[in-house]
Amino acid sequence: QSALTQPPSASGSLGQSVTISCTGTSSDVGGSNYVSWYQQHPGKAPKVMIYEVNQRPSGVPDRFSGSKSGNMASLVVSGLRPEDEATYYCGSYAGRNEMIFGGGTKLTVL
Amino acid sequence: QVQLMQSGGELRRPGASVRVSCRASGYLLTAYYMHWVRQAPGQGLEWIGWINPNSGGTNFAKKFQGRVAMTRDTSVSTVHMDLSGLTSDDTATYYCARDEYRFLRYYFEYWGQGTPVTVSS
């Protein structure tokens, strides 16, 4: 099973918004509400930012939001801050009790 | 507080096997599924599989079936992942990651610190 498709990089200026896409198929993203997003800084373990398409764990700023349309999920980071610079991964349930991740998007804050 | 403490880094020869352990504290091990995820150097995340620490039931990604095993020792709140037939492609940092209460929801709020495994002759 191939990884979900994410753009390798994205960028935005301080205070602006950026959207990161995650494209899958009807077998994973399109067929499941178990879509999640992770932020990873170099040398650190991933941190969940969004789960079940658009839910934010306690402690995650509301500048982070998620959505899904068809086979594509999106993560929006608004009001960009320097600490948002990281690599972001999407993940999705892929059927048959399996999970799949995207290839990751490196976000640069200008 | 919830903590997942993993065993230390490992160096193995090609063809060998490795065990990575993950000790849970701050919650009841048997109440939450545990997943294993790996990340090769400079690469993305790759899901390996999960274990239900209550029943011992497991499920693995197709590419790992036949050479991965996951077990648990509830007496010490620890899950283990064994990977055999190692090749250089298995060089990666391996993470344990906890799912949510009782049911699989395929997101991970708690992660171990990662265990680097290097496969080299």
Side-chain angles (χ1 to χ4, degrees), chain A residues 32-98:
Chain A
S32 174
N33 285 327
Y34 292 144
V35 177
S36 50
W37 289 90
Y38 301 86
Q39 176 192 68
Q40 187 179 36
H41 289 108
K44 301 291 188 180
K47 173 186 176 182
V48 65
M49 307 304 283
I50 297 288
Y51 67 96
E52 293 177 0
V53 177
N54 56 15
Q55 301 300 301
R56 260 188 322 274
S58 174
V60 172
D62 60 6
R63 302 185 296 104
F64 292 85
S65 62
S67 63
K68 188 184 82 165
S69 178
N71 296 338
M72 188 173 79
S74 298
L75 173 72
V76 176
V77 186
S78 57
L80 279 169
R81 301 176 62 151
E83 59 264 35
D84 298 334
E85 186 161 295
T87 300
Y88 291 83
Y89 295 93
C90 60
S92 174
Y93 177 64
R96 299 179 183 178
N97 290 318
E98 297 190 20

Side-chain angles (χ1 to χ4, degrees), chain B residues 35-47:
Chain B
H35 298 249
W36 288 89
V37 176
R38 76 177 185 181
Q39 186 170 36
Q43 302 301 308
L45 303 175
E46 183 174 31
W47 181 79

Side-chain angles (χ1 to χ4, degrees), chain A residues 2 4 6 9 11 15 17 20 22 29-30 43 50 59 76 81 87 90 100 104 108-110:
Chain A
S2 300
L4 303 174
Q6 296 182 236
S9 62
S11 63
S17 295
I20 298 173
C22 170
V29 174
I50 297 288
V76 176
R81 301 176 62 151
T87 300
C90 60
I100 190 170
T108 301
V109 179
L110 304 170

Side-chain angles (χ1 to χ4, degrees), chain B residues 37-40 44-46 48 63-64 83 89-90 92-94:
Chain B
V37 176
R38 76 177 185 181
Q39 186 170 36
L45 303 175
E46 183 174 31
I48 299 171
K63 73 173 286 185
F64 297 102
L83 190 61
D89 289 342
D90 294 314
T93 296
Y94 289 75

Side-chain angles (χ1 to χ4, degrees), chain B residues 6-10 19-20 113 115-116:
Chain B
Q6 297 185 223
S7 50
E10 303 278 6
R19 165 169 282 195
V20 181
Q113 82 275 22
T115 296

Side-chain angles (χ1 to χ4, degrees), chain B residues 15 17 25 39-40 43 48 51-53 59 62 68 72 104 111:
Chain B
S17 298
S25 61
Q39 186 170 36
Q43 302 301 308
I48 299 171
I51 179 170
N52 178 342
N59 196 69
K62 286 183 185 60
V68 67
R72 88 288 194 211
L104 285 161
W111 295 69

Side-chain angles (χ1 to χ4, degrees), chain B residues 59-96:
Chain B
N59 196 69
F60 310 124
K62 286 183 185 60
K63 73 173 286 185
F64 297 102
Q65 289 176 7
R67 67 184 191 104
V68 67
M70 294 179 187
T71 57
R72 88 288 194 211
D73 184 345
T74 57
S75 68
V76 289
S77 293
T78 299
V79 296
H80 306 286
M81 185 206 64
D82 295 294
L83 190 61
S84 61
L86 293 171
T87 72
S88 58
D89 289 342
D90 294 314
T91 294
T93 296
Y94 289 75
Y95 294 98
C96 57

